[in-house]
Structure formats: structure tokens, C-alpha cells
Amino acid sequence: MYKAVITGVGGYVPDYILTNEELSTIVDTNDEWIVTRTGIKERRILKEGATSTLASKAIEELLLKTNTKPEEVDLLIVATVTGDMRVPSTANIIQEKLNLVNAWGFDYQAGCSGFLFGIEIVQRFVESGRYKKCILVGADMMSSITNYKDRNTCILFGDAAAAIMIEPQENSEYGIIDTQNYCNSFGGAIENLNVKRHGSAYPLNAVTELLDEHYVYQDGKKVFVKAVKGMADVVEEVMLRNKLSKDNLAWLVPHQANKRIIDAARDRAGLTEDKVMLNIQKYGNTTNATIPLCLWEYEKQLKKGDNLMLCAFGAGYTWGAAYVKWAY
Ligand code: UT7
């Protein structure tokens, strides 16, 4: 039986740093409010290019680090809410840019839980044994859908991408061990967090052009309450099912939307701060990139056999957790 094993990580963040100080010259906000409410100090912004630019750079690094030739890749899955175009998929654009001539692939989205959902998607593909070198990339150019006149949202988001290589290994004790994902709108959540424009229900016309519906809208407070409970509950569920405790869990790898939401999940898992991957202070919420970007930054601290709990919460609502045993 094959296990889906993570064998490498690559990442990319653009050079431009948008600080809280600079944001406070654009909207009515300040560093103290942003840091206290979210934990964010700064975020990265891509000045030229698109989501495929971010993703391609992360994958280039991944190929180099894992000593993989472009033609060896047989599957490319792209988690994004900011694909370059509506059609074709960003996977096609990346495939062409990087010469992944033998890979087929596609995009999908599940809000900020996209990368986590992708862990289960790629797990099923790889466990089948049919695919040998699969790339899952989380990439978002959030600045392309952020309204820099809306202080409720523009302080939150940043641009980045990170990718993992997943390969089958026979009877391995390492890899993606267990996942639990959820989708539930609770009769109204769709109105609490969305980007409406360009969807078939919100076509562009003279009226909608005047609305700001091509930007992220969020009722932060409503989402916050659900995110705290959703993320903490699902982490507890997967920990219990796999007999994980604060003593044998090496790292919590949470989606980076708000430091306070991360703290709540950490508290419930009974973990100390040093066991939580955190980079929200530097990058803000990069949507599909947050979790692999954490793996990328903490890679040197990871040890073979470490138990990792990945978790996320996002628009929809969508949420979930994944138990991964690190393989290198
Ligand atoms: O990643 C996908 C899932 N998303 C999330 O998980 C995000 C969940 N939500 C959150 O992280 C938080 O709700 C936010 C960080 C978005 C907001 O924090 P909050 O503590 O819920 O603040 P709030 O929206 O309730 O606003 C509190 C006050 C309001 O003023 P009044 O009405 O109390 O006078 C806001 O107008 O803070 C005001 N405010 C700001 N003040 C300075 C809102 N944004 C800002 C700002 N700077 N940028």
C-alpha cells in the first residue's frame, strides 16, 4: 500500500514590503490596532505579474531542492482564489511557463482552506500509485482583489506562493496520515466572506461596475467566531482520533488569518507557543499560501518523524485539519 509522502517544499514571497505604517497613510488605521487585533506587522505585494508568477517561482525552487526535472512531474494541482484568468486554469499557465510537459493538472478553490483540501485531494491521487511526482501549490495574489479603501480587509492580506512535492512510498510510516475536512454555510455564511464579481451570478455590467464586488468582502466578527470554534474543534477531533497529545505533537501548522484564532486552536490542543508555526507578522493572510509558506520557513527545524497538525478555516465556510508525519 502506498503512502502519500511530502518530499520537499519551495516558496516565494515578493520583495515589496507593505508595512502597517504605510497602510496608515492610505486608510484610517494604525500599527497598534492592526498588531493587537491580528498580529500582522507587514505583508508582501507583487508589483508586476500575476498568481502564476508567484506559483512558478515557488515551484522552480521546489524542483531545484528536490532535484526534479520538469518532465518528471506528472500532476500539478493549484489551490488559488486569484487565478490569472477565469479560463484557462492557472495550472495550464504554470505548466507552460515551467515546461512541465508530462504533467496534467487543474485549479480549484475552497477559500482559505484550499491548500488543506488539496492535501486530501493529492493524497488520494498519490495513494492510487498512478502518479509519482505530484506538486500541490498554494498561490494567491490577494492584492489583486483587495480594496485599499476598506480598512476592514486591506490590512489583512498579502501575496505569496508555496509548493510541496508529494510522492508515493510503499508501506511508509511517514506522509499524510489522516484528514478531516468540512463545508457548511450555516444558512448565511456565503454573505459573510466572498468575492462576488465575475461569478455567473454577478456578471460585469454598467451597474455592477460601480459596486466594489470584485474585491474581498468580509464581516470579520462573524467569521472570527466561527473560525475560532471550527479550527479548534477539528484539530481536537483529528488529535483524538490519532491518539495525539501535546506530548507527541511536534508542530501545529495553522492557516494564518489572525493570531488570536491561532492562539485559540493552540490552547485547545494544549500546546505551548514554541510548537506553533507562525509568520503572520511578516506576510499577513496569503490565503492558499499560508500553510505551505509556514512549512517552507520552518523546514530546517523539522525532523524526520515529527507529527504535524495542519489546520485551516475559510470562506464558505470551509475548514479542516490534516495529520502529517514528516519524512525527512
Ligand atoms: O482567512 C479566512 C477567514 N478569515 C478570518 O478568519 C478572519 C476573521 N476575523 C478577524 O480576524 C477579525 O474579525 C478582524 C481582524 C477582521 C477584525 O477584528 P475585530 O476585533 O473583529 O474588529 P471589528 O471588525 O469588530 O472592529 C472593531 C472596531 C470597529 O470600530 P467600532 O465600530 O467599534 O467603533 C471598526 O470600525 O475597529 C474598527 N476597525 C479598525 N480600526 C482601525 C476596523 N478595522 C480597523 C482598522 N484600523 N484597520
Side-chain angles (χ1 to χ4, degrees):
M1 193 182 138
Y2 291 111
K3 269 281 175 48
V5 178
I6 298 174
T7 55
V9 191
Y12 177 74
V13 292
D15 293 335
Y16 189 82
I17 299 175
L18 177 58
T19 61
N20 289 349
E21 286 71 24
E22 184 178 348
L23 270 174
S24 64
T25 67
I26 304 169
V27 286
D28 181 15
T29 190
N30 56 76
D31 179 59
E32 202 246 323
W33 190 97
I34 302 173
V35 171
T36 317
R37 301 283 177 135
T38 71
I40 302 166
K41 288 289 295 174
E42 56 193 41
R43 64 292 290 143
R44 301 298 179 103
I45 302 295
L46 184 69
K47 289 290 186 185
E48 259 176 60
T51 295
S52 66
T53 318
L54 300 164
S56 297
K57 286 186 187 282
I59 294 170
E60 268 169 351
E61 190 195 73
L62 177 68
L63 295 176
L64 205 69
K65 279 170 72 177
T66 56
N67 205 14
T68 306
K69 295 187 191 77
E71 62 271 23
E72 288 178 290
V73 178
D74 46 19
L75 181 61
L76 169 65
I77 302 181
V78 183
T80 185
V81 298
T82 54
D84 287 21
M85 305 176 194
R86 284 202 56 173
V87 181
S89 75
T90 304
N92 271 83
I93 298 166
I94 298 167
Q95 196 240 17
E96 183 165 281
K97 270 189 188 173
L98 298 183
N99 238 355
L100 308 177
V101 286
N102 293 313
W104 71 285
F106 54 89
D107 303 357
Y108 70 95
Q109 71 102 349
C112 286
S113 308
F115 190 84
L116 201 74
F117 280 23
I119 290 279
E120 175 151 358
I121 295 170
V122 81
Q123 177 193 16
R124 306 300 172 202
F125 275 102
V126 174
E127 282 181 353
S128 76
R130 176 159 177 181
Y131 301 101
K132 307 296 180 211
K133 288 198 182 282
C134 305
I135 294 176
L136 172 64
V137 61
D140 271 304
M141 185 177 173
M142 291 304 291
S143 60
S144 67
I145 55 166
T146 297
N147 182 354
Y148 288 96
K149 290 183 187 146
D150 175 11
R151 70 176 183 169
N152 292 296
T153 53
C154 74
I155 55 138
L156 300 171
F157 297 106
D159 302 337
I164 56 174
M165 181 74 75
I166 309 101
E167 300 180 57
Q169 285 181 9
E170 221 165 339
N171 299 321
S172 175
E173 62 182 286
Y174 307 105
I176 302 165
I177 311 287
D178 191 18
T179 56
Q180 182 67 54
N181 291 308
Y182 290 102
C183 246
N184 193 333
S185 299
F186 302 106
I190 285 155
E191 285 307 313
N192 297 338
L193 179 50
N194 56 52
V195 184
K196 288 182 172 170
R197 180 81 63 77
H198 304 309
S200 56
Y202 299 89
L204 184 65
N205 61 38
V207 178
T208 59
E209 204 173 359
L210 301 173
L211 304 171
D212 280 336
E213 291 175 341
H214 51 301
Y215 294 128
V216 182
Y217 167 79
Q218 178 175 239
D219 184 331
K221 238 184 184 43
K222 285 188 182 156
V223 180
F224 185 89
V225 173
K226 286 288 185 193
V228 164
K229 181 164 165 40
M231 223 152 90
D233 281 354
V234 73
V235 165
E236 190 173 46
E237 183 182 352
V238 178
M239 281 179 71
L240 280 174
R241 195 157 68 208
N242 293 280
K243 298 188 174 48
L244 292 166
S245 70
K246 63 179 171 49
D247 302 320
N248 57 13
L249 192 61
W251 292 99
L252 184 70
V253 192
H255 170 53
Q256 313 275 307
N258 188 316
K259 170 81 162 51
R260 290 184 290 147
I261 299 172
I262 294 170
D263 287 345
R266 175 180 61 75
D267 272 353
R268 183 85 74 82
L271 298 172
T272 47
E273 286 215 332
D274 57 324
K275 285 188 158 189
V276 180
M277 294 192 188
L278 196 74
N279 57 22
I280 189 172
Q281 67 282 6
K282 292 194 287 185
Y283 306 128
N285 183 351
T286 55
T287 303
N288 281 287
T290 59
I291 290 175
L293 206 60
C294 280
L295 296 174
W296 178 62
E297 287 218 299
Y298 282 78
E299 191 184 15
K300 285 202 173 70
Q301 294 181 53
L302 288 171
K303 292 191 292 291
K304 188 170 183 167
D306 273 357
N307 290 321
L308 272 55
M309 182 65 61
L310 284 48
C311 59
F313 188 93
Y317 300 121
T318 53
W319 69 105
Y323 166 30
V324 171
K325 202 178 248 308
W326 200 249
Y328 64 97

